[in-house]
Amino acid sequence: MRRTAAAAAALVLAGTGLGMVTAAAGTATAATTGATACPTGWGSGDKGGAAAGAVPLKTVRAGRHDCFDRLVFDVPGGGTLGYSVRYVDRLYQLASGDYIPVGGGAVLDVRVGAPAYDPASGTAAYPGRAGQPLPGVDVSGYGTFRDTRFSASFEGETQIGLGVRARLPFRVIQLPDQLVVDVAHTW
């Protein structure tokens, strides 16, 4: 009888321990699945092609996400925008070739097929000034972005320098009337 009671007690304790392990595993799984899954397959090579357009750039804005920082170019009525995005050692202004310093461990030269001016009248459509930070875009406290600089707008193309923490993977997304540049927080 004593043996049977001892065996029953051992089974109860073993079952309780197993239940605790199962509960802990379930909690760990829930915590793991609650974590953000970051996109993969991005690269740091040149992206895009011809970047000239006729519809003016309206705004540039930035956003923070769990896995990347984002820069969005809004061109209402621009349709699918041409672009060129690539890492450069130093940013040189379109047409003039003047050097524009950009803060950060690496610099992305972003060219968007949208002028910062109205092609018909020549008046400014986007208030960027050569060598100055992008108007209304504050990237302080961002995980990846360190600096933004307006470079120039010439022959239907606007150039922006994007300073990032390091030469990190990025992607470019074309949406109707928008161009999106995402730079990952990690490799």
Side-chain angles (χ1 to χ4, degrees), residues 8-29:
L11 284 174
V12 168
L13 287 174
T16 303
L18 182 59
M20 290 173 69
V21 169
T22 304
T27 303
T29 303

PDB file of all heavy atoms in Angstrom, residues 8-29:
ATOM      1  N   ALA A   8       1.951   6.796  -6.655  1.00  0.00           N
ATOM      2  CA  ALA A   8       0.923   7.763  -7.051  1.00  0.00           C
ATOM      3  C   ALA A   8       1.407   9.183  -6.802  1.00  0.00           C
ATOM      4  O   ALA A   8       1.226  10.086  -7.628  1.00  0.00           O
ATOM      5  CB  ALA A   8      -0.375   7.495  -6.297  1.00  0.00           C
ATOM      6  N   ALA A   9       2.065   9.409  -5.684  1.00  0.00           N
ATOM      7  CA  ALA A   9       2.590  10.744  -5.366  1.00  0.00           C
ATOM      8  C   ALA A   9       3.660  11.145  -6.372  1.00  0.00           C
ATOM      9  O   ALA A   9       3.718  12.299  -6.818  1.00  0.00           O
ATOM     10  CB  ALA A   9       3.133  10.760  -3.940  1.00  0.00           C
ATOM     11  N   ALA A  10       4.516  10.219  -6.770  1.00  0.00           N
ATOM     12  CA  ALA A  10       5.563  10.506  -7.751  1.00  0.00           C
ATOM     13  C   ALA A  10       4.960  10.880  -9.097  1.00  0.00           C
ATOM     14  O   ALA A  10       5.417  11.802  -9.773  1.00  0.00           O
ATOM     15  CB  ALA A  10       6.491   9.298  -7.896  1.00  0.00           C
ATOM     16  N   LEU A  11       3.899  10.169  -9.495  1.00  0.00           N
ATOM     17  CA  LEU A  11       3.224  10.487 -10.763  1.00  0.00           C
ATOM     18  C   LEU A  11       2.576  11.869 -10.726  1.00  0.00           C
ATOM     19  O   LEU A  11       2.630  12.625 -11.685  1.00  0.00           O
ATOM     20  CB  LEU A  11       2.189   9.412 -11.092  1.00  0.00           C
ATOM     21  CG  LEU A  11       2.739   8.098 -11.611  1.00  0.00           C
ATOM     22  CD1 LEU A  11       1.614   7.064 -11.763  1.00  0.00           C
ATOM     23  CD2 LEU A  11       3.434   8.298 -12.939  1.00  0.00           C
ATOM     24  N   VAL A  12       1.973  12.200  -9.590  1.00  0.00           N
ATOM     25  CA  VAL A  12       1.341  13.526  -9.448  1.00  0.00           C
ATOM     26  C   VAL A  12       2.391  14.614  -9.558  1.00  0.00           C
ATOM     27  O   VAL A  12       2.219  15.599 -10.271  1.00  0.00           O
ATOM     28  CB  VAL A  12       0.553  13.626  -8.117  1.00  0.00           C
ATOM     29  CG1 VAL A  12       0.159  15.060  -7.820  1.00  0.00           C
ATOM     30  CG2 VAL A  12      -0.667  12.734  -8.156  1.00  0.00           C
ATOM     31  N   LEU A  13       3.515  14.440  -8.865  1.00  0.00           N
ATOM     32  CA  LEU A  13       4.595  15.434  -8.930  1.00  0.00           C
ATOM     33  C   LEU A  13       5.163  15.539 -10.342  1.00  0.00           C
ATOM     34  O   LEU A  13       5.438  16.628 -10.831  1.00  0.00           O
ATOM     35  CB  LEU A  13       5.693  15.086  -7.923  1.00  0.00           C
ATOM     36  CG  LEU A  13       5.341  15.327  -6.459  1.00  0.00           C
ATOM     37  CD1 LEU A  13       6.458  14.797  -5.552  1.00  0.00           C
ATOM     38  CD2 LEU A  13       5.107  16.802  -6.196  1.00  0.00           C
ATOM     39  N   ALA A  14       5.352  14.399 -10.990  1.00  0.00           N
ATOM     40  CA  ALA A  14       5.873  14.400 -12.361  1.00  0.00           C
ATOM     41  C   ALA A  14       4.901  15.093 -13.299  1.00  0.00           C
ATOM     42  O   ALA A  14       5.289  15.887 -14.162  1.00  0.00           O
ATOM     43  CB  ALA A  14       6.139  12.974 -12.829  1.00  0.00           C
ATOM     44  N   GLY A  15       3.624  14.842 -13.116  1.00  0.00           N
ATOM     45  CA  GLY A  15       2.607  15.498 -13.958  1.00  0.00           C
ATOM     46  C   GLY A  15       2.574  16.997 -13.737  1.00  0.00           C
ATOM     47  O   GLY A  15       2.445  17.783 -14.668  1.00  0.00           O
ATOM     48  N   THR A  16       2.715  17.422 -12.488  1.00  0.00           N
ATOM     49  CA  THR A  16       2.741  18.851 -12.177  1.00  0.00           C
ATOM     50  C   THR A  16       3.954  19.503 -12.828  1.00  0.00           C
ATOM     51  O   THR A  16       3.861  20.560 -13.431  1.00  0.00           O
ATOM     52  CB  THR A  16       2.761  19.071 -10.642  1.00  0.00           C
ATOM     53  OG1 THR A  16       1.623  18.431 -10.082  1.00  0.00           O
ATOM     54  CG2 THR A  16       2.774  20.543 -10.298  1.00  0.00           C
ATOM     55  N   GLY A  17       5.108  18.835 -12.721  1.00  0.00           N
ATOM     56  CA  GLY A  17       6.329  19.373 -13.354  1.00  0.00           C
ATOM     57  C   GLY A  17       6.187  19.445 -14.854  1.00  0.00           C
ATOM     58  O   GLY A  17       6.581  20.419 -15.485  1.00  0.00           O
ATOM     59  N   LEU A  18       5.601  18.418 -15.460  1.00  0.00           N
ATOM     60  CA  LEU A  18       5.383  18.405 -16.903  1.00  0.00           C
ATOM     61  C   LEU A  18       4.443  19.529 -17.310  1.00  0.00           C
ATOM     62  O   LEU A  18       4.670  20.213 -18.296  1.00  0.00           O
ATOM     63  CB  LEU A  18       4.829  17.044 -17.348  1.00  0.00           C
ATOM     64  CG  LEU A  18       4.607  16.870 -18.852  1.00  0.00           C
ATOM     65  CD1 LEU A  18       5.912  17.076 -19.611  1.00  0.00           C
ATOM     66  CD2 LEU A  18       4.019  15.511 -19.151  1.00  0.00           C
ATOM     67  N   GLY A  19       3.407  19.744 -16.508  1.00  0.00           N
ATOM     68  CA  GLY A  19       2.467  20.833 -16.795  1.00  0.00           C
ATOM     69  C   GLY A  19       3.154  22.178 -16.730  1.00  0.00           C
ATOM     70  O   GLY A  19       2.905  23.066 -17.539  1.00  0.00           O
ATOM     71  N   MET A  20       4.072  22.348 -15.769  1.00  0.00           N
ATOM     72  CA  MET A  20       4.793  23.614 -15.647  1.00  0.00           C
ATOM     73  C   MET A  20       5.719  23.812 -16.842  1.00  0.00           C
ATOM     74  O   MET A  20       5.837  24.902 -17.373  1.00  0.00           O
ATOM     75  CB  MET A  20       5.575  23.642 -14.337  1.00  0.00           C
ATOM     76  CG  MET A  20       4.664  23.743 -13.110  1.00  0.00           C
ATOM     77  SD  MET A  20       5.541  23.563 -11.564  1.00  0.00           S
ATOM     78  CE  MET A  20       6.497  25.059 -11.535  1.00  0.00           C
ATOM     79  N   VAL A  21       6.399  22.759 -17.283  1.00  0.00           N
ATOM     80  CA  VAL A  21       7.276  22.843 -18.447  1.00  0.00           C
ATOM     81  C   VAL A  21       6.456  23.185 -19.693  1.00  0.00           C
ATOM     82  O   VAL A  21       6.832  24.043 -20.484  1.00  0.00           O
ATOM     83  CB  VAL A  21       8.067  21.527 -18.638  1.00  0.00           C
ATOM     84  CG1 VAL A  21       8.768  21.501 -19.973  1.00  0.00           C
ATOM     85  CG2 VAL A  21       9.057  21.353 -17.496  1.00  0.00           C
ATOM     86  N   THR A  22       5.315  22.522 -19.866  1.00  0.00           N
ATOM     87  CA  THR A  22       4.449  22.787 -21.009  1.00  0.00           C
ATOM     88  C   THR A  22       3.955  24.224 -20.984  1.00  0.00           C
ATOM     89  O   THR A  22       3.951  24.906 -22.005  1.00  0.00           O
ATOM     90  CB  THR A  22       3.255  21.812 -21.022  1.00  0.00           C
ATOM     91  OG1 THR A  22       3.769  20.483 -21.009  1.00  0.00           O
ATOM     92  CG2 THR A  22       2.384  22.024 -22.235  1.00  0.00           C
ATOM     93  N   ALA A  23       3.555  24.708 -19.808  1.00  0.00           N
ATOM     94  CA  ALA A  23       3.082  26.089 -19.689  1.00  0.00           C
ATOM     95  C   ALA A  23       4.202  27.062 -20.012  1.00  0.00           C
ATOM     96  O   ALA A  23       4.009  28.059 -20.704  1.00  0.00           O
ATOM     97  CB  ALA A  23       2.536  26.346 -18.289  1.00  0.00           C
ATOM     98  N   ALA A  24       5.411  26.777 -19.512  1.00  0.00           N
ATOM     99  CA  ALA A  24       6.548  27.652 -19.784  1.00  0.00           C
ATOM    100  C   ALA A  24       6.870  27.659 -21.273  1.00  0.00           C
ATOM    101  O   ALA A  24       7.158  28.695 -21.856  1.00  0.00           O
ATOM    102  CB  ALA A  24       7.761  27.205 -18.972  1.00  0.00           C
ATOM    103  N   ALA A  25       6.809  26.498 -21.914  1.00  0.00           N
ATOM    104  CA  ALA A  25       7.066  26.420 -23.356  1.00  0.00           C
ATOM    105  C   ALA A  25       6.016  27.210 -24.120  1.00  0.00           C
ATOM    106  O   ALA A  25       6.319  27.903 -25.081  1.00  0.00           O
ATOM    107  CB  ALA A  25       7.085  24.959 -23.807  1.00  0.00           C
ATOM    108  N   GLY A  26       4.768  27.114 -23.691  1.00  0.00           N
ATOM    109  CA  GLY A  26       3.705  27.882 -24.354  1.00  0.00           C
ATOM    110  C   GLY A  26       3.926  29.372 -24.216  1.00  0.00           C
ATOM    111  O   GLY A  26       3.712  30.137 -25.139  1.00  0.00           O
ATOM    112  N   THR A  27       4.379  29.805 -23.052  1.00  0.00           N
ATOM    113  CA  THR A  27       4.668  31.220 -22.825  1.00  0.00           C
ATOM    114  C   THR A  27       5.823  31.659 -23.707  1.00  0.00           C
ATOM    115  O   THR A  27       5.794  32.721 -24.300  1.00  0.00           O
ATOM    116  CB  THR A  27       4.998  31.466 -21.338  1.00  0.00           C
ATOM    117  OG1 THR A  27       3.898  31.013 -20.560  1.00  0.00           O
ATOM    118  CG2 THR A  27       5.272  32.920 -21.066  1.00  0.00           C
ATOM    119  N   ALA A  28       6.867  30.842 -23.797  1.00  0.00           N
ATOM    120  CA  ALA A  28       8.005  31.185 -24.639  1.00  0.00           C
ATOM    121  C   ALA A  28       7.576  31.282 -26.094  1.00  0.00           C
ATOM    122  O   ALA A  28       7.990  32.181 -26.812  1.00  0.00           O
ATOM    123  CB  ALA A  28       9.113  30.136 -24.485  1.00  0.00           C
ATOM    124  N   THR A  29       6.738  30.370 -26.555  1.00  0.00           N
ATOM    125  CA  THR A  29       6.252  30.421 -27.933  1.00  0.00           C
ATOM    126  C   THR A  29       5.440  31.677 -28.164  1.00  0.00           C
ATOM    127  O   THR A  29       5.603  32.360 -29.170  1.00  0.00           O
ATOM    128  CB  THR A  29       5.407  29.169 -28.259  1.00  0.00           C
ATOM    129  OG1 THR A  29       6.203  28.017 -28.021  1.00  0.00           O
ATOM    130  CG2 THR A  29       4.926  29.186 -29.685  1.00  0.00           C
TER     131      THR A  29
END
